[in-house]
Amino acid sequence: MPVVCPTRAMERWTVRTEGTEAVFSCAPLVEDHTAARALPRVWAGRGLGVSDVDLSGLIAALGEVMKTPAYWWSRPPGSHHPEATMTWSQPRRDHDDGFVYLTGPCGYDTVEAGCRPVVSFSIELASVRDLRIHTWTITRTGPKGHWQTAERTIIAEGRHWTVGLTPMTGDTVALMLWSGNDVAAHLRGPEPDVVRTAYWWATNLLNGRPWTAPQPGHAR
């Protein structure tokens, strides 16, 4: 059972691969009877809930899994197309309990209903990429309509960051980066270029780098 080398960005998460699965574990925040309130929540075989404060660490852990040989061996033919392995729903944030919930293949289906706190849970390696993709919150004009906004929230450097995208006229997209309530950066441009920049800013923050760190092959 190979253990994925932990990184600072993974925070309280550890992960190992077992056959066709990745097993994620999250250490409790506190050593008392209230610890279960902060643990991940799993509806066996149907979904996952993660605390806001642990979401960025999970995203980083998913990224590390995607670097392993086991992940690449698990990918079925044609899975380089995003729609080929879409198994997770868009995230739903519950502002009352501070958790983000996603419907998808987490653990093994049982007769037990509802989410329960767990220290560890398993996810099929083939669905890891789709889960990581869906940690962006996207709103649309309808069930199959054009996207209106895309946001990703990250806790890094002791601050709360939000990367936000909004389509403008034509092919133009606006990108904004908030640090808490302050706008740290904003730009506009063609959708492919701006979306690539947004993903890179998020990747930098998730990996403990300044968001301004240049992309490989790009001059600063």
Side-chain angles (χ1 to χ4, degrees), residues 193-214:
D193 297 337
V194 174
V195 169
R196 189 180 304 114
T197 298
Y199 272 87
W200 185 248
W201 286 359
T203 299
N204 280 337
L205 291 169
L206 288 168
N207 286 280
R209 298 189 294 262
W211 65 268
T212 52

Side-chain angles (χ1 to χ4, degrees), residues 143-192:
K144 296 183 179 180
H146 191 271
W147 69 282
Q148 290 182 309
T149 63
E151 286 191 357
R152 187 163 189 175
T153 300
I154 301 165
I155 296 176
E157 301 176 354
R159 287 182 282 177
H160 194 97
W161 300 83
T162 301
V163 184
L165 291 159
T166 306
M168 308 298 286
T169 57
D171 190 46
T172 301
V173 170
L175 168 61
M176 296 189 72
L177 176 67
W178 289 270
S179 175
N181 294 321
D182 300 323
V183 176
H186 62 89
L187 59 86
R188 295 183 182 185
E191 182 173 334

